[in-house]
Amino acid sequence: MKKRIAIFASGSGSNAQKIMEHFKKHRDAEVAIVLTNNPDAYVLQRADNFEIPSHIFDRNEFYNTDNVVNILKNLQIDLIVLAGFMWLVPQNLLAAYPNKIINIHPALLPKFGGKGMYGDYVHKAVLAGGEEESGITIHFVNEHFDEGEIIQQSRFKIEKGDDLEMIKFKGQQLEHQYYPKVVEQLLKKMKTL
Ligand code: GAR
């Protein structure tokens, strides 16, 4: 049986798209479901385009019930991939999938992480900080925002004159290049591929 990935996303889902593309015709693994807290998230359309089922949950379902965990267990999910998912992962989900939930963050953690540091806020803070470089971090998820063990970081130089859009673009290029590969490597390491 193919190994099964669940993607959690709250917005556009360009990273989810790259992962769904990567595993579309993969021999050993597949994206089995996309989950979101946001009924208007474009990632739902993207999942639909790949004929991948999706599930929308609200705050009560996510934090006060085992419904999401049960859905993942029923689908025999092996790895949970957060791709622009903006809610903290609750304890019941962390306990059900120890070291099997990963996240991508658009900066070089531990700098520019934590509550409120997501999307453009991160890039704005990087610019305001006068940093010479930025990058991406792929890490395991724990009960705090952006604090789990780091799996991989990739960096780029911030050139004079780089604005928000340019920094965002450079980061996104790295995210799209590396996230699907890291997911694949992790599945292999977990001896599940
Ligand atoms: C990505 O840049 C991801 O690193 C960031 O949200 C974006 C989602 O883009 N995640 C965080 O900021 C988490 N703290 P996408 O929806 O196009 O994949």
Side-chain angles (χ1 to χ4, degrees), residues 103-115:
N103 181 44
I104 191 160
H105 186 78
L108 296 170
L109 292 173
K111 276 180 138 182
F112 304 108
K115 193 169 164 51

Side-chain angles (χ1 to χ4, degrees), residues 19-110:
I19 293 165
M20 291 189 285
E21 279 168 14
H22 184 89
F23 289 100
K24 185 175 162 62
K25 292 192 173 139
H26 200 283
R27 222 184 41 167
D28 304 314
E30 64 188 346
V31 178
I33 187 168
V34 169
L35 299 100
T36 185
N37 58 301
N38 176 9
D40 299 320
Y42 185 59
V43 73
L44 289 168
Q45 180 63 51
R46 297 187 195 267
D48 230 32
N49 295 343
F50 283 87
E51 299 182 346
I52 292 170
S54 52
H55 178 72
I56 305 167
F57 51 81
D58 62 16
R59 202 164 267 284
N60 181 54
E61 178 181 340
F62 198 47
Y63 290 107
N64 300 326
T65 78
D66 284 327
N67 209 24
V68 169
V69 171
N70 291 337
I71 289 170
L72 299 171
K73 288 289 174 192
N74 284 336
L75 286 171
Q76 298 181 279
I77 296 300
D78 297 286
L79 183 69
I80 296 172
V81 176
L82 309 188
F85 181 63
M86 299 308 171
W87 285 3
L88 212 52
V89 174
Q91 197 53 47
N92 62 339
L93 191 45
L94 290 169
Y97 286 91
N99 286 321
K100 289 182 177 171
I101 309 178
I102 63 170
N103 181 44
I104 191 160
H105 186 78
L108 296 170
L109 292 173

